[in-house]
Amino acid sequence: NDQDTKNNNRHTMFADNENNHDERFLPPPANNNNDDNKKYNIPPTLNISWFMATTLCIWFLFIHAPFVLIAQQKIDPLLYIHLFGAYSIYLTCVHNTLLTPSTTFGCGEKGTTARPFHIWIGRVGLILGVIGFITGFILTWFVLEPLNDLGFSIGISFGGIIQMILQYNGYRAIKHFQNIKAQIEASDYNNQEELLALQEEQDQHLSHHILCMINLFVFACGVPALIRVMAPIKGGFGWLPIFIGVLYVIAHYMSKPLVQKIKTKRDRERGVVVVTEESELRS
């Protein structure tokens, strides 16, 4: 009996040691509640700048335009194609500037990222945006009477050209980003310095893509809407430079948190101490 008691005590001691060993070397338990709360935090894209640009879009597409169309006695069929393209690219901008690839719906492992929606809606929107520009240019200069309001015709065409430039540059930037990302994932570099240079170039292309698409939303799509706002106001076009300045401020503060997020993420990957405005206020 004494021998059995000693054996039991020895097994108990070994079991305690194993448990203590496991507890010492196991990683700290994840705070699921905090992770879940982070998933539900308001994304940086949902800010006052996005709200102001989206409000202009909703007014233009769903309040102003329908009344103008109803008032017309005859509508050229080509206008419907133009409107389909114009509505598509404008609403694509609303969606994709809010729901970026890093946005997640739900929480935990069951969360669904917005990445596939962002990519495919963006691709379709860009194609339809080109259709909207081409049909709009034909309507302005070959179907309607451009000389009746030459300033409007020139302004709206200039906005369309800016739209095409931003679409092209934004698409080109994201393709460069994807190519460099694939190169890094394939370890197609010779040393650490080359890797750092590739990462910097990758971040620059992504930031350029973001800036192009936000300016597409705010300027290329927003200026035609602003022209409609100012048209019925006496001397309204004299305020155009001021309104352009307002759009610039909106675009700046819409892009700022996204570009900063790219830099912060890269710094954390490299072990750089990240100092944010929130941490400075706490200190």
Side-chain angles (χ1 to χ4, degrees):
N1 293 335
D2 292 339
Q3 185 66 29
D4 292 340
T5 301
K6 291 180 180 180
N7 290 335
N8 290 336
N9 291 336
R10 185 176 62 179
H11 288 309
T12 301
M13 180 181 64
F14 286 154
D16 290 340
N17 288 336
E18 290 177 359
N19 291 335
N20 291 335
H21 176 79
D22 290 340
E23 289 175 359
R24 286 199 307 271
F25 289 94
L26 282 175
N31 191 339
N32 293 328
N33 292 331
N34 290 339
D35 291 341
D36 292 349
N37 290 335
K38 290 180 181 179
K39 298 295 185 180
Y40 284 116
N41 281 345
I42 297 176
T45 51
L46 184 59
N47 50 43
I48 187 63
S49 297
W50 179 88
F51 180 78
M52 292 173 67
T54 301
T55 300
L56 180 61
C57 169
I58 298 302
W59 173 85
F60 181 41
L61 298 184
F62 300 106
I63 298 177
H64 171 78
F67 284 103
V68 173
L69 293 173
I70 292 173
Q72 294 185 6
Q73 297 180 350
K74 182 180 179 181
I75 299 178
D76 192 287
L78 191 62
L79 179 60
Y80 289 110
I81 301 176
H82 167 69
L83 290 176
F84 182 67
Y87 272 63
S88 298
I89 187 62
Y90 210 165
L91 293 175
T92 294
C93 289
V94 172
H95 177 276
N96 276 17
T97 52
L98 176 65
L99 302 180
T100 62
S102 61
T103 307
T104 305
F105 302 99
C107 57
E109 297 180 355
K110 296 182 180 179
T112 302
T113 64
R115 178 182 175 83
F117 302 98
H118 182 95
I119 292 174
W120 285 105
I121 290 176
R123 289 173 178 174
V124 173
L126 290 178
I127 294 172
L128 295 178
V130 174
I131 295 174
F133 166 73
I134 294 173
T135 53
F137 189 86
I138 294 173
L139 283 167
T140 300
W141 296 100
F142 300 101
V143 177
L144 304 176
E145 295 293 336
L147 298 180
N148 290 342
D149 193 347
L150 187 59
F152 173 82
S153 300
I154 294 175
I156 206 72
S157 299
F158 179 76
I161 293 172
I162 296 299
Q163 173 192 337
M164 290 296 98
I165 293 174
L166 290 171
Q167 284 193 202
Y168 171 76
N169 287 338
Y171 177 78
R172 185 168 174 265
I174 201 62
K175 295 305 293 184
H176 282 311
F177 166 82
Q178 292 171 348
N179 292 337
I180 295 175
K181 180 181 178 182
Q183 182 179 351
I184 293 175
E185 291 177 347
S187 300
D188 187 11
Y189 50 86
N190 297 321
N191 50 53
Q192 185 70 13
E193 291 184 359
E194 186 174 342
L195 171 61
L196 295 176
L198 286 173
Q199 291 176 340
E200 291 292 336
E201 187 179 356
Q202 182 186 24
D203 293 345
Q204 289 174 4
H205 286 307
L206 183 57
S207 298
H208 186 57
H209 169 76
I210 291 171
L211 292 173
C212 285
M213 292 304 140
I214 287 179
N215 283 304
L216 172 65
F217 178 26
V218 177
F219 282 101
C221 296
V223 168
L226 273 182
I227 291 176
R228 269 71 172 199
V229 172
M230 294 180 296
I233 303 174
K234 185 177 180 180
F237 287 102
W239 293 88
L240 185 59
I242 296 177
F243 281 112
I244 294 295
V246 172
L247 291 182
Y248 173 81
V249 173
I250 291 174
H252 172 74
Y253 283 101
M254 191 184 298
S255 60
K256 183 178 179 180
L258 297 176
V259 175
Q260 183 61 39
K261 183 178 179 181
I262 295 172
K263 183 179 184 304
T264 301
K265 180 181 178 182
R266 184 67 69 192
D267 287 343
R268 284 175 176 165
E269 289 177 355
R270 296 174 179 177
V272 178
V273 177
V274 178
V275 179
T276 62
E277 294 180 2
E278 183 180 353
S279 61
E280 287 181 342
L281 290 175
R282 285 200 304 264
S283 62

